[in-house]
mmCIF file with all atom_site columns, all heavy atoms in Angstrom:
data_model
loop_
_atom_site.group_PDB
_atom_site.id
_atom_site.type_symbol
_atom_site.label_atom_id
_atom_site.label_alt_id
_atom_site.label_comp_id
_atom_site.label_asym_id
_atom_site.label_entity_id
_atom_site.label_seq_id
_atom_site.pdbx_PDB_ins_code
_atom_site.Cartn_x
_atom_site.Cartn_y
_atom_site.Cartn_z
_atom_site.occupancy
_atom_site.B_iso_or_equiv
_atom_site.pdbx_formal_charge
_atom_site.auth_seq_id
_atom_site.auth_comp_id
_atom_site.auth_asym_id
_atom_site.auth_atom_id
_atom_site.pdbx_PDB_model_num
ATOM 1   N N   . ASN A 1 155 ? -19.829 13.021 -61.431 1.00 0.00 ? 898 ASN A N   1
ATOM 2   C CA  . ASN A 1 155 ? -19.153 14.319 -61.664 1.00 0.00 ? 898 ASN A CA  1
ATOM 3   C C   . ASN A 1 155 ? -19.757 14.986 -62.793 1.00 0.00 ? 898 ASN A C   1
ATOM 4   O O   . ASN A 1 155 ? -19.873 16.237 -62.750 1.00 0.00 ? 898 ASN A O   1
ATOM 5   C CB  . ASN A 1 155 ? -17.634 14.044 -61.953 1.00 0.00 ? 898 ASN A CB  1
ATOM 6   C CG  . ASN A 1 155 ? -16.877 13.584 -60.694 1.00 0.00 ? 898 ASN A CG  1
ATOM 7   O OD1 . ASN A 1 155 ? -17.354 13.898 -59.572 1.00 0.00 ? 898 ASN A OD1 1
ATOM 8   N ND2 . ASN A 1 155 ? -15.768 12.902 -60.910 1.00 0.00 ? 898 ASN A ND2 1
ATOM 9   N N   . TRP A 1 156 ? -20.207 14.279 -63.807 1.00 0.00 ? 899 TRP A N   1
ATOM 10  C CA  . TRP A 1 156 ? -20.884 14.876 -64.969 1.00 0.00 ? 899 TRP A CA  1
ATOM 11  C C   . TRP A 1 156 ? -22.223 15.494 -64.545 1.00 0.00 ? 899 TRP A C   1
ATOM 12  O O   . TRP A 1 156 ? -22.527 16.610 -64.907 1.00 0.00 ? 899 TRP A O   1
ATOM 13  C CB  . TRP A 1 156 ? -21.074 13.893 -66.043 1.00 0.00 ? 899 TRP A CB  1
ATOM 14  C CG  . TRP A 1 156 ? -21.712 14.391 -67.306 1.00 0.00 ? 899 TRP A CG  1
ATOM 15  C CD1 . TRP A 1 156 ? -21.081 15.138 -68.242 1.00 0.00 ? 899 TRP A CD1 1
ATOM 16  C CD2 . TRP A 1 156 ? -23.033 14.176 -67.795 1.00 0.00 ? 899 TRP A CD2 1
ATOM 17  N NE1 . TRP A 1 156 ? -21.931 15.406 -69.309 1.00 0.00 ? 899 TRP A NE1 1
ATOM 18  C CE2 . TRP A 1 156 ? -23.164 14.785 -69.047 1.00 0.00 ? 899 TRP A CE2 1
ATOM 19  C CE3 . TRP A 1 156 ? -24.094 13.428 -67.287 1.00 0.00 ? 899 TRP A CE3 1
ATOM 20  C CZ2 . TRP A 1 156 ? -24.284 14.824 -69.782 1.00 0.00 ? 899 TRP A CZ2 1
ATOM 21  C CZ3 . TRP A 1 156 ? -25.225 13.423 -68.074 1.00 0.00 ? 899 TRP A CZ3 1
ATOM 22  C CH2 . TRP A 1 156 ? -25.389 14.084 -69.276 1.00 0.00 ? 899 TRP A CH2 1
ATOM 23  N N   . ILE A 1 157 ? -22.982 14.772 -63.701 1.00 0.00 ? 900 ILE A N   1
ATOM 24  C CA  . ILE A 1 157 ? -24.225 15.253 -63.161 1.00 0.00 ? 900 ILE A CA  1
ATOM 25  C C   . ILE A 1 157 ? -23.962 16.571 -62.349 1.00 0.00 ? 900 ILE A C   1
ATOM 26  O O   . ILE A 1 157 ? -24.739 17.522 -62.513 1.00 0.00 ? 900 ILE A O   1
ATOM 27  C CB  . ILE A 1 157 ? -25.001 14.210 -62.332 1.00 0.00 ? 900 ILE A CB  1
ATOM 28  C CG1 . ILE A 1 157 ? -25.359 12.962 -63.229 1.00 0.00 ? 900 ILE A CG1 1
ATOM 29  C CG2 . ILE A 1 157 ? -26.184 14.808 -61.597 1.00 0.00 ? 900 ILE A CG2 1
ATOM 30  C CD1 . ILE A 1 157 ? -25.898 11.832 -62.457 1.00 0.00 ? 900 ILE A CD1 1
ATOM 31  N N   . SER A 1 158 ? -23.000 16.506 -61.538 1.00 0.00 ? 901 SER A N   1
ATOM 32  C CA  . SER A 1 158 ? -22.645 17.743 -60.671 1.00 0.00 ? 901 SER A CA  1
ATOM 33  C C   . SER A 1 158 ? -22.400 18.893 -61.535 1.00 0.00 ? 901 SER A C   1
ATOM 34  O O   . SER A 1 158 ? -22.880 20.013 -61.208 1.00 0.00 ? 901 SER A O   1
ATOM 35  C CB  . SER A 1 158 ? -21.462 17.397 -59.817 1.00 0.00 ? 901 SER A CB  1
ATOM 36  O OG  . SER A 1 158 ? -21.165 18.450 -58.955 1.00 0.00 ? 901 SER A OG  1
ATOM 37  N N   . GLY A 1 159 ? -21.644 18.724 -62.603 1.00 0.00 ? 902 GLY A N   1
ATOM 38  C CA  . GLY A 1 159 ? -21.398 19.901 -63.498 1.00 0.00 ? 902 GLY A CA  1
ATOM 39  C C   . GLY A 1 159 ? -22.652 20.364 -64.143 1.00 0.00 ? 902 GLY A C   1
ATOM 40  O O   . GLY A 1 159 ? -22.829 21.564 -64.302 1.00 0.00 ? 902 GLY A O   1
ATOM 41  N N   . ASN A 1 160 ? -23.499 19.432 -64.612 1.00 0.00 ? 903 ASN A N   1
ATOM 42  C CA  . ASN A 1 160 ? -24.802 19.857 -65.146 1.00 0.00 ? 903 ASN A CA  1
ATOM 43  C C   . ASN A 1 160 ? -25.654 20.629 -64.178 1.00 0.00 ? 903 ASN A C   1
ATOM 44  O O   . ASN A 1 160 ? -26.202 21.612 -64.537 1.00 0.00 ? 903 ASN A O   1
ATOM 45  C CB  . ASN A 1 160 ? -25.543 18.636 -65.665 1.00 0.00 ? 903 ASN A CB  1
ATOM 46  C CG  . ASN A 1 160 ? -24.891 17.989 -66.826 1.00 0.00 ? 903 ASN A CG  1
ATOM 47  O OD1 . ASN A 1 160 ? -24.165 18.506 -67.531 1.00 0.00 ? 903 ASN A OD1 1
ATOM 48  N ND2 . ASN A 1 160 ? -25.171 16.670 -67.004 1.00 0.00 ? 903 ASN A ND2 1
ATOM 49  N N   . ARG A 1 161 ? -25.705 20.180 -62.940 1.00 0.00 ? 904 ARG A N   1
ATOM 50  C CA  . ARG A 1 161 ? -26.528 20.855 -61.916 1.00 0.00 ? 904 ARG A CA  1
ATOM 51  C C   . ARG A 1 161 ? -25.968 22.285 -61.701 1.00 0.00 ? 904 ARG A C   1
ATOM 52  O O   . ARG A 1 161 ? -26.724 23.178 -61.488 1.00 0.00 ? 904 ARG A O   1
ATOM 53  C CB  . ARG A 1 161 ? -26.568 20.026 -60.666 1.00 0.00 ? 904 ARG A CB  1
ATOM 54  C CG  . ARG A 1 161 ? -27.222 18.693 -60.871 1.00 0.00 ? 904 ARG A CG  1
ATOM 55  C CD  . ARG A 1 161 ? -27.540 17.954 -59.587 1.00 0.00 ? 904 ARG A CD  1
ATOM 56  N NE  . ARG A 1 161 ? -28.707 18.503 -58.951 1.00 0.00 ? 904 ARG A NE  1
ATOM 57  C CZ  . ARG A 1 161 ? -29.190 18.091 -57.778 1.00 0.00 ? 904 ARG A CZ  1
ATOM 58  N NH1 . ARG A 1 161 ? -28.554 17.164 -57.054 1.00 0.00 ? 904 ARG A NH1 1
ATOM 59  N NH2 . ARG A 1 161 ? -30.274 18.569 -57.292 1.00 0.00 ? 904 ARG A NH2 1
ATOM 60  N N   . HIS A 1 162 ? -24.641 22.393 -61.652 1.00 0.00 ? 905 HIS A N   1
ATOM 61  C CA  . HIS A 1 162 ? -24.016 23.668 -61.495 1.00 0.00 ? 905 HIS A CA  1
ATOM 62  C C   . HIS A 1 162 ? -24.430 24.708 -62.557 1.00 0.00 ? 905 HIS A C   1
ATOM 63  O O   . HIS A 1 162 ? -24.568 25.853 -62.367 1.00 0.00 ? 905 HIS A O   1
ATOM 64  C CB  . HIS A 1 162 ? -22.471 23.575 -61.440 1.00 0.00 ? 905 HIS A CB  1
ATOM 65  C CG  . HIS A 1 162 ? -21.823 24.809 -61.290 1.00 0.00 ? 905 HIS A CG  1
ATOM 66  N ND1 . HIS A 1 162 ? -21.717 25.531 -60.036 1.00 0.00 ? 905 HIS A ND1 1
ATOM 67  C CD2 . HIS A 1 162 ? -21.009 25.642 -62.145 1.00 0.00 ? 905 HIS A CD2 1
ATOM 68  C CE1 . HIS A 1 162 ? -20.985 26.643 -60.201 1.00 0.00 ? 905 HIS A CE1 1
ATOM 69  N NE2 . HIS A 1 162 ? -20.586 26.717 -61.481 1.00 0.00 ? 905 HIS A NE2 1
ATOM 70  N N   . ASN A 1 163 ? -24.578 24.130 -63.732 1.00 0.00 ? 906 ASN A N   1
ATOM 71  C CA  . ASN A 1 163 ? -24.988 24.971 -64.908 1.00 0.00 ? 906 ASN A CA  1
ATOM 72  C C   . ASN A 1 163 ? -26.453 24.915 -65.179 1.00 0.00 ? 906 ASN A C   1
ATOM 73  O O   . ASN A 1 163 ? -26.918 25.359 -66.293 1.00 0.00 ? 906 ASN A O   1
ATOM 74  C CB  . ASN A 1 163 ? -24.216 24.458 -66.218 1.00 0.00 ? 906 ASN A CB  1
ATOM 75  C CG  . ASN A 1 163 ? -22.719 24.666 -66.072 1.00 0.00 ? 906 ASN A CG  1
ATOM 76  O OD1 . ASN A 1 163 ? -22.257 25.759 -65.759 1.00 0.00 ? 906 ASN A OD1 1
ATOM 77  N ND2 . ASN A 1 163 ? -21.902 23.621 -66.338 1.00 0.00 ? 906 ASN A ND2 1
ATOM 78  N N   . GLN A 1 164 ? -27.229 24.420 -64.189 1.00 0.00 ? 907 GLN A N   1
ATOM 79  C CA  . GLN A 1 164 ? -28.732 24.345 -64.250 1.00 0.00 ? 907 GLN A CA  1
ATOM 80  C C   . GLN A 1 164 ? -29.175 23.572 -65.428 1.00 0.00 ? 907 GLN A C   1
ATOM 81  O O   . GLN A 1 164 ? -30.129 23.907 -66.133 1.00 0.00 ? 907 GLN A O   1
ATOM 82  C CB  . GLN A 1 164 ? -29.290 25.802 -64.268 1.00 0.00 ? 907 GLN A CB  1
ATOM 83  C CG  . GLN A 1 164 ? -28.988 26.598 -63.016 1.00 0.00 ? 907 GLN A CG  1
ATOM 84  C CD  . GLN A 1 164 ? -29.680 27.951 -63.030 1.00 0.00 ? 907 GLN A CD  1
ATOM 85  O OE1 . GLN A 1 164 ? -29.775 28.605 -64.053 1.00 0.00 ? 907 GLN A OE1 1
ATOM 86  N NE2 . GLN A 1 164 ? -30.177 28.335 -61.856 1.00 0.00 ? 907 GLN A NE2 1
ATOM 87  N N   . ARG A 1 165 ? -28.482 22.458 -65.704 1.00 0.00 ? 908 ARG A N   1
ATOM 88  C CA  . ARG A 1 165 ? -28.875 21.552 -66.765 1.00 0.00 ? 908 ARG A CA  1
ATOM 89  C C   . ARG A 1 165 ? -29.505 20.258 -66.217 1.00 0.00 ? 908 ARG A C   1
ATOM 90  O O   . ARG A 1 165 ? -29.127 19.854 -65.095 1.00 0.00 ? 908 ARG A O   1
ATOM 91  C CB  . ARG A 1 165 ? -27.702 21.271 -67.686 1.00 0.00 ? 908 ARG A CB  1
ATOM 92  C CG  . ARG A 1 165 ? -27.059 22.505 -68.308 1.00 0.00 ? 908 ARG A CG  1
ATOM 93  C CD  . ARG A 1 165 ? -26.156 22.141 -69.452 1.00 0.00 ? 908 ARG A CD  1
ATOM 94  N NE  . ARG A 1 165 ? -26.837 21.725 -70.622 1.00 0.00 ? 908 ARG A NE  1
ATOM 95  C CZ  . ARG A 1 165 ? -26.270 21.260 -71.751 1.00 0.00 ? 908 ARG A CZ  1
ATOM 96  N NH1 . ARG A 1 165 ? -24.982 21.136 -71.762 1.00 0.00 ? 908 ARG A NH1 1
ATOM 97  N NH2 . ARG A 1 165 ? -26.988 20.869 -72.813 1.00 0.00 ? 908 ARG A NH2 1
ATOM 98  N N   . THR A 1 166 ? -30.353 19.671 -67.025 1.00 0.00 ? 909 THR A N   1
ATOM 99  C CA  . THR A 1 166 ? -30.958 18.389 -66.619 1.00 0.00 ? 909 THR A CA  1
ATOM 100 C C   . THR A 1 166 ? -30.175 17.244 -67.241 1.00 0.00 ? 909 THR A C   1
ATOM 101 O O   . THR A 1 166 ? -29.793 17.244 -68.418 1.00 0.00 ? 909 THR A O   1
ATOM 102 C CB  . THR A 1 166 ? -32.377 18.292 -67.147 1.00 0.00 ? 909 THR A CB  1
ATOM 103 O OG1 . THR A 1 166 ? -33.152 19.370 -66.600 1.00 0.00 ? 909 THR A OG1 1
ATOM 104 C CG2 . THR A 1 166 ? -32.989 16.961 -66.838 1.00 0.00 ? 909 THR A CG2 1
ATOM 105 N N   . SER A 1 167 ? -29.815 16.264 -66.431 1.00 0.00 ? 910 SER A N   1
ATOM 106 C CA  . SER A 1 167 ? -28.949 15.133 -66.913 1.00 0.00 ? 910 SER A CA  1
ATOM 107 C C   . SER A 1 167 ? -29.862 14.034 -67.484 1.00 0.00 ? 910 SER A C   1
ATOM 108 O O   . SER A 1 167 ? -30.651 13.451 -66.790 1.00 0.00 ? 910 SER A O   1
ATOM 109 C CB  . SER A 1 167 ? -28.101 14.548 -65.764 1.00 0.00 ? 910 SER A CB  1
ATOM 110 O OG  . SER A 1 167 ? -27.246 15.555 -65.288 1.00 0.00 ? 910 SER A OG  1
ATOM 111 N N   . ILE A 1 168 ? -29.754 13.831 -68.782 1.00 0.00 ? 911 ILE A N   1
ATOM 112 C CA  . ILE A 1 168 ? -30.663 12.878 -69.476 1.00 0.00 ? 911 ILE A CA  1
ATOM 113 C C   . ILE A 1 168 ? -29.728 11.692 -69.866 1.00 0.00 ? 911 ILE A C   1
ATOM 114 O O   . ILE A 1 168 ? -28.715 11.859 -70.556 1.00 0.00 ? 911 ILE A O   1
ATOM 115 C CB  . ILE A 1 168 ? -31.216 13.488 -70.772 1.00 0.00 ? 911 ILE A CB  1
ATOM 116 C CG1 . ILE A 1 168 ? -31.990 14.769 -70.432 1.00 0.00 ? 911 ILE A CG1 1
ATOM 117 C CG2 . ILE A 1 168 ? -32.133 12.471 -71.474 1.00 0.00 ? 911 ILE A CG2 1
ATOM 118 C CD1 . ILE A 1 168 ? -32.421 15.570 -71.655 1.00 0.00 ? 911 ILE A CD1 1
ATOM 119 N N   . PHE A 1 169 ? -30.120 10.526 -69.487 1.00 0.00 ? 912 PHE A N   1
ATOM 120 C CA  . PHE A 1 169 ? -29.406 9.303  -69.791 1.00 0.00 ? 912 PHE A CA  1
ATOM 121 C C   . PHE A 1 169 ? -30.166 8.406  -70.799 1.00 0.00 ? 912 PHE A C   1
ATOM 122 O O   . PHE A 1 169 ? -31.354 8.124  -70.568 1.00 0.00 ? 912 PHE A O   1
ATOM 123 C CB  . PHE A 1 169 ? -29.095 8.518  -68.504 1.00 0.00 ? 912 PHE A CB  1
ATOM 124 C CG  . PHE A 1 169 ? -28.071 9.148  -67.653 1.00 0.00 ? 912 PHE A CG  1
ATOM 125 C CD1 . PHE A 1 169 ? -28.518 10.023 -66.588 1.00 0.00 ? 912 PHE A CD1 1
ATOM 126 C CD2 . PHE A 1 169 ? -26.791 9.050  -67.806 1.00 0.00 ? 912 PHE A CD2 1
ATOM 127 C CE1 . PHE A 1 169 ? -27.658 10.655 -65.788 1.00 0.00 ? 912 PHE A CE1 1
ATOM 128 C CE2 . PHE A 1 169 ? -25.862 9.693  -66.968 1.00 0.00 ? 912 PHE A CE2 1
ATOM 129 C CZ  . PHE A 1 169 ? -26.295 10.491 -65.990 1.00 0.00 ? 912 PHE A CZ  1
ATOM 130 N N   . ILE A 1 170 ? -29.481 7.984  -71.870 1.00 0.00 ? 913 ILE A N   1
ATOM 131 C CA  . ILE A 1 170 ? -30.066 7.091  -72.830 1.00 0.00 ? 913 ILE A CA  1
ATOM 132 C C   . ILE A 1 170 ? -29.649 5.660  -72.415 1.00 0.00 ? 913 ILE A C   1
ATOM 133 O O   . ILE A 1 170 ? -28.431 5.362  -72.494 1.00 0.00 ? 913 ILE A O   1
ATOM 134 C CB  . ILE A 1 170 ? -29.651 7.414  -74.246 1.00 0.00 ? 913 ILE A CB  1
ATOM 135 C CG1 . ILE A 1 170 ? -29.995 8.861  -74.595 1.00 0.00 ? 913 ILE A CG1 1
ATOM 136 C CG2 . ILE A 1 170 ? -30.210 6.431  -75.206 1.00 0.00 ? 913 ILE A CG2 1
ATOM 137 C CD1 . ILE A 1 170 ? -31.416 9.150  -74.514 1.00 0.00 ? 913 ILE A CD1 1
ATOM 138 N N   . ALA A 1 171 ? -30.613 4.839  -72.017 1.00 0.00 ? 914 ALA A N   1
ATOM 139 C CA  . ALA A 1 171 ? -30.226 3.463  -71.559 1.00 0.00 ? 914 ALA A CA  1
ATOM 140 C C   . ALA A 1 171 ? -31.363 2.472  -71.844 1.00 0.00 ? 914 ALA A C   1
ATOM 141 O O   . ALA A 1 171 ? -32.546 2.854  -71.801 1.00 0.00 ? 914 ALA A O   1
ATOM 142 C CB  . ALA A 1 171 ? -30.011 3.546  -70.041 1.00 0.00 ? 914 ALA A CB  1
ATOM 143 N N   . TYR A 1 172 ? -31.018 1.305  -72.157 1.00 0.00 ? 915 TYR A N   1
ATOM 144 C CA  . TYR A 1 172 ? -31.986 0.246  -72.431 1.00 0.00 ? 915 TYR A CA  1
ATOM 145 C C   . TYR A 1 172 ? -32.905 0.057  -71.268 1.00 0.00 ? 915 TYR A C   1
ATOM 146 O O   . TYR A 1 172 ? -32.476 0.063  -70.144 1.00 0.00 ? 915 TYR A O   1
ATOM 147 C CB  . TYR A 1 172 ? -31.192 -1.080 -72.794 1.00 0.00 ? 915 TYR A CB  1
ATOM 148 C CG  . TYR A 1 172 ? -32.076 -2.042 -73.476 1.00 0.00 ? 915 TYR A CG  1
ATOM 149 C CD1 . TYR A 1 172 ? -32.476 -1.945 -74.800 1.00 0.00 ? 915 TYR A CD1 1
ATOM 150 C CD2 . TYR A 1 172 ? -32.443 -3.270 -72.831 1.00 0.00 ? 915 TYR A CD2 1
ATOM 151 C CE1 . TYR A 1 172 ? -33.274 -2.880 -75.472 1.00 0.00 ? 915 TYR A CE1 1
ATOM 152 C CE2 . TYR A 1 172 ? -33.183 -4.238 -73.428 1.00 0.00 ? 915 TYR A CE2 1
ATOM 153 C CZ  . TYR A 1 172 ? -33.544 -4.026 -74.757 1.00 0.00 ? 915 TYR A CZ  1
ATOM 154 O OH  . TYR A 1 172 ? -34.374 -5.002 -75.408 1.00 0.00 ? 915 TYR A OH  1
ATOM 155 N N   . SER A 1 173 ? -34.202 -0.128 -71.610 1.00 0.00 ? 916 SER A N   1
ATOM 156 C CA  . SER A 1 173 ? -35.217 -0.076 -70.600 1.00 0.00 ? 916 SER A CA  1
ATOM 157 C C   . SER A 1 173 ? -35.137 -1.256 -69.545 1.00 0.00 ? 916 SER A C   1
ATOM 158 O O   . SER A 1 173 ? -35.630 -1.098 -68.445 1.00 0.00 ? 916 SER A O   1
ATOM 159 C CB  . SER A 1 173 ? -36.602 -0.126 -71.176 1.00 0.00 ? 916 SER A CB  1
ATOM 160 O OG  . SER A 1 173 ? -36.813 0.972  -72.074 1.00 0.00 ? 916 SER A OG  1
#
Side-chain angles (χ1 to χ4, degrees):
N898 288 337
W899 184 73
I900 294 171
S901 179
N903 290 338
R904 299 190 79 181
H905 179 74
N906 294 311
Q907 297 184 322
R908 301 194 73 184
T909 300
S910 299
I911 305 169
F912 291 93
I913 303 299
Y915 197 69
S916 299

